[in-house]
mmCIF file with all atom_site columns, all heavy atoms in Angstrom:
data_model
loop_
_atom_site.group_PDB
_atom_site.id
_atom_site.type_symbol
_atom_site.label_atom_id
_atom_site.label_alt_id
_atom_site.label_comp_id
_atom_site.label_asym_id
_atom_site.label_entity_id
_atom_site.label_seq_id
_atom_site.pdbx_PDB_ins_code
_atom_site.Cartn_x
_atom_site.Cartn_y
_atom_site.Cartn_z
_atom_site.occupancy
_atom_site.B_iso_or_equiv
_atom_site.pdbx_formal_charge
_atom_site.auth_seq_id
_atom_site.auth_comp_id
_atom_site.auth_asym_id
_atom_site.auth_atom_id
_atom_site.pdbx_PDB_model_num
ATOM 1  N N   . LYS A 1 80 ? -6.613  -11.552 25.197 1.00 0.00 ? 80 LYS A N   1
ATOM 2  C CA  . LYS A 1 80 ? -6.083  -10.811 26.333 1.00 0.00 ? 80 LYS A CA  1
ATOM 3  C C   . LYS A 1 80 ? -4.811  -11.451 26.847 1.00 0.00 ? 80 LYS A C   1
ATOM 4  O O   . LYS A 1 80 ? -4.712  -12.668 26.941 1.00 0.00 ? 80 LYS A O   1
ATOM 5  C CB  . LYS A 1 80 ? -7.131  -10.768 27.460 1.00 0.00 ? 80 LYS A CB  1
ATOM 6  C CG  . LYS A 1 80 ? -8.413  -10.089 27.043 1.00 0.00 ? 80 LYS A CG  1
ATOM 7  C CD  . LYS A 1 80 ? -9.365  -9.945  28.217 1.00 0.00 ? 80 LYS A CD  1
ATOM 8  C CE  . LYS A 1 80 ? -10.627 -9.199  27.779 1.00 0.00 ? 80 LYS A CE  1
ATOM 9  N NZ  . LYS A 1 80 ? -11.383 -8.664  28.919 1.00 0.00 ? 80 LYS A NZ  1
ATOM 10 N N   . LYS A 1 81 ? -3.864  -10.600 27.190 1.00 0.00 ? 81 LYS A N   1
ATOM 11 C CA  . LYS A 1 81 ? -2.638  -11.064 27.831 1.00 0.00 ? 81 LYS A CA  1
ATOM 12 C C   . LYS A 1 81 ? -2.914  -11.148 29.324 1.00 0.00 ? 81 LYS A C   1
ATOM 13 O O   . LYS A 1 81 ? -3.462  -10.223 29.909 1.00 0.00 ? 81 LYS A O   1
ATOM 14 C CB  . LYS A 1 81 ? -1.507  -10.071 27.571 1.00 0.00 ? 81 LYS A CB  1
ATOM 15 C CG  . LYS A 1 81 ? -1.132  -9.940  26.107 1.00 0.00 ? 81 LYS A CG  1
ATOM 16 C CD  . LYS A 1 81 ? -0.203  -8.753  25.881 1.00 0.00 ? 81 LYS A CD  1
ATOM 17 C CE  . LYS A 1 81 ? 0.122   -8.595  24.395 1.00 0.00 ? 81 LYS A CE  1
ATOM 18 N NZ  . LYS A 1 81 ? 0.761   -7.287  24.102 1.00 0.00 ? 81 LYS A NZ  1
ATOM 19 N N   . THR A 1 82 ? -2.506  -12.236 29.928 1.00 0.00 ? 82 THR A N   1
ATOM 20 C CA  . THR A 1 82 ? -2.856  -12.409 31.333 1.00 0.00 ? 82 THR A CA  1
ATOM 21 C C   . THR A 1 82 ? -1.777  -13.191 32.049 1.00 0.00 ? 82 THR A C   1
ATOM 22 O O   . THR A 1 82 ? -1.014  -13.935 31.429 1.00 0.00 ? 82 THR A O   1
ATOM 23 C CB  . THR A 1 82 ? -4.207  -13.146 31.460 1.00 0.00 ? 82 THR A CB  1
ATOM 24 O OG1 . THR A 1 82 ? -4.490  -13.348 32.833 1.00 0.00 ? 82 THR A OG1 1
ATOM 25 C CG2 . THR A 1 82 ? -4.170  -14.504 30.762 1.00 0.00 ? 82 THR A CG2 1
ATOM 26 N N   . LYS A 1 83 ? -1.713  -13.002 33.330 1.00 0.00 ? 83 LYS A N   1
ATOM 27 C CA  . LYS A 1 83 ? -0.855  -13.856 34.153 1.00 0.00 ? 83 LYS A CA  1
ATOM 28 C C   . LYS A 1 83 ? -1.710  -14.783 35.010 1.00 0.00 ? 83 LYS A C   1
ATOM 29 O O   . LYS A 1 83 ? -1.219  -15.592 35.780 1.00 0.00 ? 83 LYS A O   1
ATOM 30 C CB  . LYS A 1 83 ? 0.048   -13.001 35.059 1.00 0.00 ? 83 LYS A CB  1
ATOM 31 C CG  . LYS A 1 83 ? 0.905   -11.993 34.311 1.00 0.00 ? 83 LYS A CG  1
ATOM 32 C CD  . LYS A 1 83 ? 2.363   -12.397 34.263 1.00 0.00 ? 83 LYS A CD  1
ATOM 33 C CE  . LYS A 1 83 ? 3.167   -11.435 33.383 1.00 0.00 ? 83 LYS A CE  1
ATOM 34 N NZ  . LYS A 1 83 ? 4.390   -11.981 32.872 1.00 0.00 ? 83 LYS A NZ  1
ATOM 35 N N   . THR A 1 84 ? -3.023  -14.632 34.858 1.00 0.00 ? 84 THR A N   1
ATOM 36 C CA  . THR A 1 84 ? -3.955  -15.425 35.657 1.00 0.00 ? 84 THR A CA  1
ATOM 37 C C   . THR A 1 84 ? -4.125  -16.812 35.046 1.00 0.00 ? 84 THR A C   1
ATOM 38 O O   . THR A 1 84 ? -4.287  -16.940 33.843 1.00 0.00 ? 84 THR A O   1
ATOM 39 C CB  . THR A 1 84 ? -5.338  -14.736 35.688 1.00 0.00 ? 84 THR A CB  1
ATOM 40 O OG1 . THR A 1 84 ? -5.138  -13.350 35.893 1.00 0.00 ? 84 THR A OG1 1
ATOM 41 C CG2 . THR A 1 84 ? -6.206  -15.300 36.792 1.00 0.00 ? 84 THR A CG2 1
ATOM 42 N N   . ILE A 1 85 ? -4.090  -17.808 35.856 1.00 0.00 ? 85 ILE A N   1
ATOM 43 C CA  . ILE A 1 85 ? -4.277  -19.166 35.357 1.00 0.00 ? 85 ILE A CA  1
ATOM 44 C C   . ILE A 1 85 ? -5.766  -19.438 35.171 1.00 0.00 ? 85 ILE A C   1
ATOM 45 O O   . ILE A 1 85 ? -6.607  -19.024 35.966 1.00 0.00 ? 85 ILE A O   1
ATOM 46 C CB  . ILE A 1 85 ? -3.650  -20.192 36.330 1.00 0.00 ? 85 ILE A CB  1
ATOM 47 C CG1 . ILE A 1 85 ? -2.136  -19.961 36.418 1.00 0.00 ? 85 ILE A CG1 1
ATOM 48 C CG2 . ILE A 1 85 ? -3.933  -21.607 35.864 1.00 0.00 ? 85 ILE A CG2 1
ATOM 49 C CD1 . ILE A 1 85 ? -1.530  -20.521 37.687 1.00 0.00 ? 85 ILE A CD1 1
ATOM 50 N N   . ASN A 1 86 ? -6.049  -20.098 34.068 1.00 0.00 ? 86 ASN A N   1
ATOM 51 C CA  . ASN A 1 86 ? -7.425  -20.416 33.701 1.00 0.00 ? 86 ASN A CA  1
ATOM 52 C C   . ASN A 1 86 ? -7.864  -21.681 34.425 1.00 0.00 ? 86 ASN A C   1
ATOM 53 O O   . ASN A 1 86 ? -7.496  -22.788 34.040 1.00 0.00 ? 86 ASN A O   1
ATOM 54 C CB  . ASN A 1 86 ? -7.467  -20.595 32.180 1.00 0.00 ? 86 ASN A CB  1
ATOM 55 C CG  . ASN A 1 86 ? -8.780  -21.159 31.686 1.00 0.00 ? 86 ASN A CG  1
ATOM 56 O OD1 . ASN A 1 86 ? -9.812  -20.990 32.337 1.00 0.00 ? 86 ASN A OD1 1
ATOM 57 N ND2 . ASN A 1 86 ? -8.733  -21.822 30.539 1.00 0.00 ? 86 ASN A ND2 1
ATOM 58 N N   . LEU A 1 87 ? -8.629  -21.516 35.461 1.00 0.00 ? 87 LEU A N   1
ATOM 59 C CA  . LEU A 1 87 ? -8.995  -22.669 36.289 1.00 0.00 ? 87 LEU A CA  1
ATOM 60 C C   . LEU A 1 87 ? -10.313 -23.310 35.879 1.00 0.00 ? 87 LEU A C   1
ATOM 61 O O   . LEU A 1 87 ? -10.505 -24.505 36.051 1.00 0.00 ? 87 LEU A O   1
ATOM 62 C CB  . LEU A 1 87 ? -9.074  -22.251 37.761 1.00 0.00 ? 87 LEU A CB  1
ATOM 63 C CG  . LEU A 1 87 ? -7.738  -21.860 38.391 1.00 0.00 ? 87 LEU A CG  1
ATOM 64 C CD1 . LEU A 1 87 ? -7.955  -21.305 39.787 1.00 0.00 ? 87 LEU A CD1 1
ATOM 65 C CD2 . LEU A 1 87 ? -6.802  -23.058 38.436 1.00 0.00 ? 87 LEU A CD2 1
ATOM 66 N N   . ASP A 1 88 ? -11.221 -22.511 35.329 1.00 0.00 ? 88 ASP A N   1
ATOM 67 C CA  . ASP A 1 88 ? -12.570 -23.046 35.124 1.00 0.00 ? 88 ASP A CA  1
ATOM 68 C C   . ASP A 1 88 ? -12.812 -23.561 33.709 1.00 0.00 ? 88 ASP A C   1
ATOM 69 O O   . ASP A 1 88 ? -13.927 -23.963 33.391 1.00 0.00 ? 88 ASP A O   1
ATOM 70 C CB  . ASP A 1 88 ? -13.623 -21.994 35.513 1.00 0.00 ? 88 ASP A CB  1
ATOM 71 C CG  . ASP A 1 88 ? -13.543 -20.772 34.621 1.00 0.00 ? 88 ASP A CG  1
ATOM 72 O OD1 . ASP A 1 88 ? -12.664 -20.742 33.730 1.00 0.00 ? 88 ASP A OD1 1
ATOM 73 O OD2 . ASP A 1 88 ? -14.371 -19.868 34.805 1.00 0.00 ? 88 ASP A OD2 1
ATOM 74 N N   . GLY A 1 89 ? -11.779 -23.568 32.866 1.00 0.00 ? 89 GLY A N   1
ATOM 75 C CA  . GLY A 1 89 ? -11.951 -24.152 31.540 1.00 0.00 ? 89 GLY A CA  1
ATOM 76 C C   . GLY A 1 89 ? -12.773 -23.325 30.584 1.00 0.00 ? 89 GLY A C   1
ATOM 77 O O   . GLY A 1 89 ? -13.152 -23.800 29.514 1.00 0.00 ? 89 GLY A O   1
ATOM 78 N N   . SER A 1 90 ? -13.041 -22.067 30.925 1.00 0.00 ? 90 SER A N   1
ATOM 79 C CA  . SER A 1 90 ? -13.895 -21.238 30.064 1.00 0.00 ? 90 SER A CA  1
ATOM 80 C C   . SER A 1 90 ? -13.107 -20.497 28.987 1.00 0.00 ? 90 SER A C   1
ATOM 81 O O   . SER A 1 90 ? -13.692 -19.788 28.183 1.00 0.00 ? 90 SER A O   1
ATOM 82 C CB  . SER A 1 90 ? -14.648 -20.220 30.921 1.00 0.00 ? 90 SER A CB  1
ATOM 83 O OG  . SER A 1 90 ? -13.724 -19.344 31.532 1.00 0.00 ? 90 SER A OG  1
#
Side-chain angles (χ1 to χ4, degrees):
Chain A
K80 299 186 178 198
K81 296 169 182 167
T82 178
K83 304 253 174 202
T84 317
I85 297 158
N86 170 26
L87 293 173
D88 64 359
S90 64

